[in-house]
Amino acid sequence: MAVDERQLTAVQVMRDAPVIPVIVLHAVAHAVPMARALLAGGIRMLEVTLRTPQALACIEAIAREIPDAVVGAGTVRSAADARSAAAAGARFAVSPGYTPAVGQACRDLALPLLPGVATGSEIMACQEDGFEALKFFPALQAGGAAMLKAWAGPFGEIRFCPTGGITPSNAVEFLAMSNVACVGGSWLVPVDALARGDWARITQLAREAASLQRATVA
Ligand code: 3PG
């Protein structure tokens, strides 16, 4: 199924696959083969974090070279980050927390945003600004599956992407929850696999992640 660029929403970003890879790249040369490897394993929503000086160039390279991937920017912490990410070709944004300024910038840019939340007040602030597809971060440290279960009552309409401490084994528990659309994690792109150019390993990890079962999405 093709993702129509004009209609891409945060919900679509979360529904595309059971896992959104959280990617940290230190070398632009790694970006395209890494993205190809993930795509070959069935994962095309790629969150490249703005944590390295090379991140924007990596986003640009993936956006230019791999039209079948949907590259987004992670660690978006300001309106300026959102603007740089969009200019580099990012098609969605993920933030570790939420501010109305980041929300407004993403709206102005028509950049779907998955804002990070860890408390009920933060969920309410996001909802007030129209965001209902949220990243639960840091998921394990902030209460894990028990927290999501508690939120399912008062915030039943919210769909979460728990991220932070998720592994292939505990992902199963999260993905079985009715308010979880997908999970995020860095395990799909291990530092040593990148360093060795072990693209086959990344494809294998992506394939395993793509085949994880979810409760909320067929
Ligand atoms: C993130 O940056 O969103 C998280 O730190 C990823 O967490 P993980 O490395 O525990 O998957």
Side-chain angles (χ1 to χ4, degrees):
M1 181 190 69
V3 174
D4 184 333
E5 185 161 8
R6 290 160 301 174
Q7 293 171 5
L8 186 65
T9 64
V11 171
Q12 279 181 308
V13 172
M14 293 211 304
R15 287 199 170 155
D16 201 61
V19 184
I20 297 176
V22 176
I23 303 162
V24 181
L25 293 169
H26 292 274
V28 180
H30 289 161
V32 167
M34 184 266 341
R36 278 209 183 98
L38 288 171
L39 205 57
I43 300 282
R44 61 179 176 166
M45 296 288 165
L46 315 181
E47 177 189 336
V48 175
T49 57
L50 301 184
R51 292 181 202 177
T52 67
Q54 296 79 18
L56 288 170
C58 290
I59 290 172
E60 225 169 71
I62 296 168
R64 189 180 56 239
E65 304 283 331
I66 322 212
D68 288 343
V70 179
V71 64
T75 323
V76 169
R77 295 179 303 174
S78 64
D81 281 349
R83 284 192 289 270
S84 313
R91 291 174 55 191
F92 66 92
V94 184
S95 56
Y98 180 71
T99 68
V102 167
Q104 185 62 50
C106 288
R107 252 196 314 276
D108 292 347
L109 293 159
L111 192 62
L113 171 68
L114 274 63
V117 296
T119 68
S121 298
E122 291 161 8
I123 295 172
M124 288 164 65
C126 287
Q127 272 193 302
E128 270 180 15
D129 289 354
F131 297 97
E132 299 209 320
L134 308 180
K135 165 176 170 167
F136 173 32
F137 177 78
L140 262 282
Q141 298 84 341
M147 187 70 139
L148 285 164
K149 196 171 172 196
W151 280 343
F155 302 116
E157 65 283 19
I158 301 287
R159 291 296 169 266
F160 293 96
C161 170
T163 305
I166 308 296
T167 65
S169 2
N170 68 17
V172 174
E173 180 188 8
F174 285 97
L175 291 169
M177 304 187 74
S178 59
N179 55 350
V180 169
C182 68
V183 299
S186 60
W187 82 84
L188 282 73
V189 183
V191 174
D192 61 324
L194 272 181
R196 288 200 309 271
D198 188 352
W199 313 123
R201 168 107 183 104
I202 291 175
T203 296
Q204 180 57 29
L205 289 166
R207 195 168 284 133
E208 287 162 13
S211 69
L212 289 167
Q213 296 300 309
R214 287 185 275 189
T216 55
V217 185

